[in-house]
Amino acid sequence: MMKKTLVQGLIIVAGFFLIWFGFSQVDFMTLFKVKERTTNIESKLGDMIWSQIEDNEEIIRNDTVVKTLDKLIDPICEANNIERDSLKIYIIKKDEINAFALPNNYLVVYSGLIEDCKKQEALQGVLGHEIGHIEKNHVMKKLSKEIGYSVLLAAAGGSKGGQMAREILKTLSSSAYDRKLEKEADITSVKYMIKAHIDPKPMADFMYQMAQDKKMPEGFGWIADHPESEERARYILDYIKGKKLQNKSSIAEKDWKAFQEQIAKE
């Protein structure tokens, strides 16, 4: 009897491991096309939100301005193997000091941010931060957490897409990511800059500057609603302490000033 029970036990254990092994060989992401479906949703959401922006905001399309912005972004992309053409970067004419990423690799920069940056490296640090959010898939993580995947799925294919697009835009443009994701994007930007031989210190200086700006509207701006901006500046400086930094300007100082002046005139 004991022998029979032992044999049955061994059969059950062996069966369990066979089933486990079988399941371990199945690529469920491929089976259920989860990645493909998520990419499709992200693409639809991004295009839907961008359509809202195009209909309601003034986009700066001046060739000189766009080409100068490209000169600031290209070194970051080239040094970090980021496909530049995958990023859809636009400047919006707006006084707010803000920049934010959208689904489907959209990156929106407000003219007020560009005008307020004292150095080109500060702007590059902000752009690197937002590119970090895109590359690390933070945008969809934030939306899934705060809005819910099922709601995003409905918005991507539903009749209330316009209304939902406005809500998603508000979430991404005026509220912070959680502190873990913000820090990851900050440090990612610093790493991008170091590889591109761009000095990250002006990025930290810009954060200190914004933290001290009492005129910043509450709830708006790239720093105003980001948690503990002074702390973020400190950990950036701590991260680069002792590292051998190079500072290769992406554009000449006169071109940087001309860029800011042109932005102000648009």
Side-chain angles (χ1 to χ4, degrees):
M1 183 68 179
M2 186 179 292
K3 187 177 180 181
K4 183 178 179 182
T5 304
L6 182 62
V7 171
Q8 287 175 335
L10 289 172
I11 291 172
I12 292 170
V13 171
F16 169 79
F17 279 107
L18 281 171
I19 292 169
W20 173 82
F21 179 78
F23 276 115
S24 70
Q25 302 306 303
V26 177
D27 185 349
F28 285 101
M29 291 293 284
T30 301
L31 182 63
F32 295 112
K33 297 186 177 180
V34 174
K35 186 174 181 180
E36 181 181 336
R37 185 181 299 175
T38 301
T39 301
N40 189 41
I41 292 169
E42 183 175 355
S43 177
K44 286 183 178 179
L45 286 174
D47 292 345
M48 185 174 68
I49 299 165
W50 176 246
S51 179
Q52 284 287 319
I53 293 174
E54 275 193 307
D55 290 343
N56 295 285
E57 303 288 357
E58 182 182 349
I59 303 162
I60 297 177
R61 301 188 186 275
N62 180 297
D63 280 348
T64 302
V65 168
V66 171
K67 286 177 181 177
T68 303
L69 186 67
D70 281 342
K71 289 178 183 178
L72 294 170
I73 294 169
D74 286 347
I76 293 172
C77 292
E78 288 170 7
N80 293 280
N81 298 315
I82 298 168
E83 188 180 343
R84 172 62 185 89
D85 290 342
S86 71
L87 301 172
K88 309 173 185 76
I89 304 178
Y90 296 94
I91 303 172
I92 303 298
K93 183 66 178 177
K94 208 160 192 173
D95 290 337
E96 290 171 19
I97 301 169
N98 209 356
F100 51 90
L102 301 174
N104 200 23
N105 295 5
Y106 285 96
L107 199 170
V108 175
V109 185
Y110 285 172
S111 59
L113 172 69
I114 297 172
E115 291 180 60
D116 210 67
C117 286
K118 289 184 172 64
K119 295 186 176 181
Q120 60 182 274
E121 294 86 0
L123 177 60
Q124 288 173 303
V126 175
L127 295 172
H129 174 97
E130 298 303 332
I131 292 171
H133 279 316
I134 292 171
E135 291 292 302
K136 300 291 183 180
N137 197 34
H138 290 174
V139 181
M140 290 304 289
K141 285 179 182 177
K142 175 181 171 68
L143 292 178
S144 297
K145 180 180 177 181
E146 296 187 15
I147 295 176
Y149 186 80
S150 59
V151 176
L152 296 175
L153 182 61
S159 58
K160 295 184 179 179
Q163 180 183 340
M164 198 64 226
R166 288 188 289 274
E167 289 299 317
I168 295 171
L169 177 58
K170 183 179 178 182
T171 297
L172 292 172
S173 65
S174 63
S175 69
Y177 292 77
D178 66 44
R179 295 177 73 171
K180 180 183 176 183
L181 296 186
E182 288 292 8
K183 184 171 184 177
E184 186 177 15
D186 284 336
I187 299 302
T188 296
S189 180
V190 172
K191 289 178 179 178
Y192 286 163
M193 295 175 81
I194 291 173
K195 280 190 176 182
H197 306 305
I198 300 168
D199 186 1
K201 285 184 287 191
M203 178 184 176
D205 293 339
F206 182 66
M207 288 184 176
Y208 275 125
Q209 172 195 328
M210 294 296 98
Q212 302 304 317
D213 191 346
K214 306 300 182 185
K215 298 178 290 184
M216 287 286 286
E218 187 176 354
F220 287 92
W222 191 74
I223 295 297
D225 202 39
H226 283 44
E228 305 296 336
S229 55
E230 288 191 26
E231 179 190 336
R232 291 170 66 199
R234 280 195 294 271
Y235 65 60
I236 286 172
L237 293 175
D238 285 343
Y239 182 84
I240 64 178
K241 190 181 294 182
K243 288 182 170 60
K244 189 175 180 181
L245 302 175
Q246 300 181 48
N247 189 19
K248 183 180 177 182
S249 296
S250 301
I251 57 176
E253 184 61 22
K254 64 180 179 63
D255 293 332
W256 165 247
K257 294 300 180 186
F259 176 57
Q260 289 184 303
E261 288 170 6
Q262 186 62 49
I263 288 284
K265 290 176 184 176
E266 288 294 320

